[in-house]
Amino acid sequence: MTVATLERRLTHAEQLIERVDAPAPAWANPVELAEALNIVLDGWQRRLLLSTARRVVVRAPRQTGKTTTVSVLALFVAVTTPDGLVLVVSPAERQAKELVRVVRRLAAVLGLATAEREQTVAPSAVSMTRLEFPNGARVLSVPGSSEATIRGFAAPSLILVDEASRVAEPTLDAIRPMMAAAPASRLILLSSPWTKAGLFYKAATDETGVWERHRVTLDDCPRISRAFVEEERRTLPPWVFSREYLGEFADDDLTLFPAELIARAMSDDVAPFFAEAS
């Protein structure tokens, strides 16, 4: 055994000992962590942070606090789950980096509050796309522009898909098998609505109970100026306003036949013109 190999093994052993000796986090749940960060939560944010459902979909207007909420959750999972993996997926790399930046800022604020716990909560390695914690947990940003960029990760503790309505369905399909070998793995889709198609739309309107659904409205977020919203209502196309501020799925100006019209034109009572091939 070379000296270099021995030194690496000793360093690894010391890190394991530090993890064992590190004080347990003082927060029993993400809401307590948010309070430690002096974040005032709206009711819907509190409900989401206390949820333990494996599959969650959050349908909310813009600027209602989605990113802050799931950033608190990502930090909580990281500091309470040794060797845990939190994946942050967004339609583009810039958006994925932004959520990790918020997690990094919250960790800095927390690192914070109690010096004696700094070794537990302060990231030990930081970059634009990655946070690593002394307990071995990681927070990684992954662009969801292609399903090929998602593959290769195994058993994440938490998967956050931001702006999920804009993430291609093949990418979302490639994400879910990661949960198969991890019974505690969780998947959260969050977004303002887009068109009436794709996995986010299906999950947000699902009534089978597979997804725990959180619907956020402007009434749930008193911080948003109602005067500004009324200005937007008068100046934006109706389908844009309903998506961005009312959290409603809507057809856009390029849609020739509305989704409701197509749905009404379909019937199981009409026999097909051509028999199915045997």
Side-chain angles (χ1 to χ4, degrees):
M1 181 184 301
T2 65
V3 173
T5 301
L6 179 60
E7 288 179 347
R8 284 196 300 270
R9 292 188 177 182
L10 287 174
T11 299
H12 180 65
E14 290 172 352
Q15 291 173 344
L16 292 176
I17 292 172
E18 288 176 357
R19 292 183 195 177
V20 173
D21 292 340
W27 317 284
N29 55 61
V31 169
E32 291 188 4
L33 177 58
E35 292 170 349
L37 291 164
N38 294 318
I39 296 175
V40 179
L41 298 172
D42 294 330
W44 77 266
Q45 293 173 306
R46 183 178 293 270
R47 290 190 294 274
L48 177 59
L49 289 176
L50 291 177
S51 170
T52 58
R54 290 200 69 194
R55 296 175 187 243
V56 179
V57 57
V58 182
R59 169 183 169 189
R62 299 277 297 278
Q63 302 300 312
T64 49
K66 300 187 296 296
T67 298
T68 298
T69 308
V70 295
S71 294
V72 171
L73 180 59
L75 180 58
F76 177 81
V77 171
V79 300
T80 60
T81 311
D83 297 315
L85 172 61
V86 177
L87 287 182
V88 178
V89 182
S90 293
E93 183 177 6
R94 178 191 60 80
Q95 294 161 312
K97 286 180 178 178
E98 179 62 19
L99 201 152
V100 171
R101 185 192 68 81
V102 176
V103 178
R104 184 171 68 246
R105 178 174 57 81
L106 294 179
V109 171
L110 195 62
L112 0 211
T114 51
E116 69 273 12
R117 292 183 178 273
E118 187 170 347
Q119 62 173 339
T120 304
V121 298
S124 54
V126 176
S127 73
M128 294 293 292
T129 61
R130 183 187 193 97
L131 296 177
E132 293 188 22
F133 293 81
N135 66 354
R138 295 172 296 159
V139 179
L140 306 180
S141 72
V142 183
S145 52
S146 168
E147 57 90 20
T149 64
I150 299 297
R151 298 179 182 274
F153 297 101
S157 303
L158 175 66
I159 308 168
L160 299 172
V161 185
D162 195 15
E163 296 299 339
S165 65
R166 270 76 167 181
V167 175
E169 194 153 1
T171 300
L172 296 174
D173 289 340
I175 288 174
R176 288 181 289 177
M178 299 178 194
M179 305 169 63
S185 182
R186 302 181 66 204
L187 170 62
I188 298 180
L189 309 180
L190 60 147
S191 184
S192 55
W194 188 237
T195 56
K196 299 176 181 179
L199 178 61
F200 182 77
Y201 171 70
K202 296 173 186 175
T205 57
D206 173 73
E207 296 184 354
T208 65
V210 172
W211 293 88
E212 179 180 277
R213 298 180 296 171
H214 293 252
R215 173 75 188 276
V216 184
T217 68
L218 291 177
D219 291 336
D220 297 314
C221 188
R223 296 181 301 279
I224 294 180
S225 167
R226 295 306 186 267
F228 178 81
V229 171
E230 287 306 313
E231 289 178 1
E232 294 288 89
R233 187 192 301 273
R234 292 195 298 269
T235 57
L236 288 175
W239 59 88
V240 175
F241 180 82
S242 64
R243 282 198 307 252
E244 304 291 359
Y245 291 100
L246 302 182
E248 296 177 353
F249 292 95
D251 297 309
D252 60 26
D253 57 341
L254 299 179
T255 300
L256 185 60
F257 300 107
E260 289 83 358
L261 179 62
I262 296 174
R264 289 198 299 269
M266 301 178 70
S267 173
D268 294 331
D269 298 329
V270 178
F273 292 116
F274 303 99
E276 295 183 3
S278 57

